[in-house]
Amino acid sequence: MFGRNRNRNDVKPLERHVRDVEIILQKIGVDITEAKMSLEEGYGWEFRRGSASIEIYIVQREDKAYLQVLSPIMYLPQSNLLPLYRRLLEYNLQMTSASLGIFQDVVYVFNERPLHGLDADETDDIIDFVSGYADDLDNALVNEFGGRLYLQA
C-alpha cells in the first residue's frame, strides 16, 4: 500500500533509532553522557566536530517521527549578502544528504528525514555528511564573506 494507509506496526520504535545514533556517536569517539541533551520530548545529542557544533534529534511530530541532524555554522555578515546567498545555493547543489539554510540570521547545515525505512547505515551517512560539511564550510564561508562563526558568539 502507498502513503498514509501503511500498517502502524511497520513503524520502527524510536528506541531502535536512539540506540543506532548512540552506537554511531560512540564509534566516532563522542561521550554519550556528555552529548545527551535534556529535552521535554524526543531525544537529542550535541557534540563538536572540528570547529562545528553538531546537534542530532529524534522527534515525534503528529503521527510521524523524524531524524534531524543540524549544525549552526555562522552568523550572517552585515553586508555582502547576495554573493553569500549565491554561494550557499551553489553548495546546496553539490551536497549529498545535507542542505544549507538560514534561520534567525544563522546559517545551518541540516538534514531531516522520516524514521520510516531509515537504517543505521543511512543514519551514519547523514551524521557524517552533515558534520563534515559543517566543519569544512564554517571557516571557508566566514573567511570569504565575513560574519562570525557560530561557536565564537
Side-chain angles (χ1 to χ4, degrees):
M1 289 211 147
F2 296 101
R4 300 178 192 271
N5 294 326
R6 289 190 305 258
N7 181 341
R8 287 194 180 258
N9 292 333
D10 69 353
V11 175
K12 306 282 189 279
L14 292 180
E15 290 73 26
R16 182 182 73 84
H17 296 286
V18 169
R19 187 176 59 249
D20 288 347
V21 168
E22 291 187 341
I23 289 169
I24 291 163
L25 293 178
Q26 287 174 329
K27 183 176 75 174
I28 61 174
V30 173
D31 182 332
I32 299 303
T33 308
E34 288 182 23
K36 196 171 283 190
M37 299 167 66
S38 177
L39 304 175
E40 287 185 29
E41 293 184 31
Y43 303 87
W45 303 265
E46 183 177 19
F47 67 99
R48 287 191 63 169
R49 177 168 175 180
S51 56
S53 173
I54 313 302
E55 300 171 21
I56 302 171
Y57 300 96
I58 294 178
V59 296
Q60 181 87 33
R61 287 196 311 255
E62 298 172 16
D63 64 340
K64 287 194 176 187
Y66 297 87
L67 170 72
Q68 299 172 330
V69 182
L70 58 98
S71 176
I73 60 173
M74 69 177 284
Y75 288 94
L76 290 175
Q78 295 296 315
S79 61
N80 212 19
L81 290 176
L82 190 56
L84 171 62
Y85 294 157
R86 181 182 177 97
R87 177 75 77 234
L88 297 178
L89 287 172
E90 290 169 348
Y91 280 134
N92 270 342
L93 193 58
Q94 300 169 16
M95 297 169 77
T96 301
S97 294
S99 299
L100 290 157
I102 298 169
F103 180 70
Q104 295 182 345
D105 293 333
V106 175
V107 177
Y108 284 82
V109 179
F110 68 96
N111 177 296
E112 179 176 79
R113 188 207 184 285
L115 292 181
H116 180 77
L118 180 66
D119 64 22
D121 288 336
E122 187 177 359
T123 301
D124 190 13
D125 286 345
I126 291 168
I127 293 169
D128 186 50
F129 280 123
V130 170
S131 63
Y133 289 131
D135 187 35
D136 291 343
L137 293 177
D138 57 356
N139 290 305
L141 289 169
V142 167
N143 289 339
E144 185 173 354
F145 297 102
R148 68 184 192 281
L149 293 175
Y150 184 81
L151 288 179
Q152 290 181 342

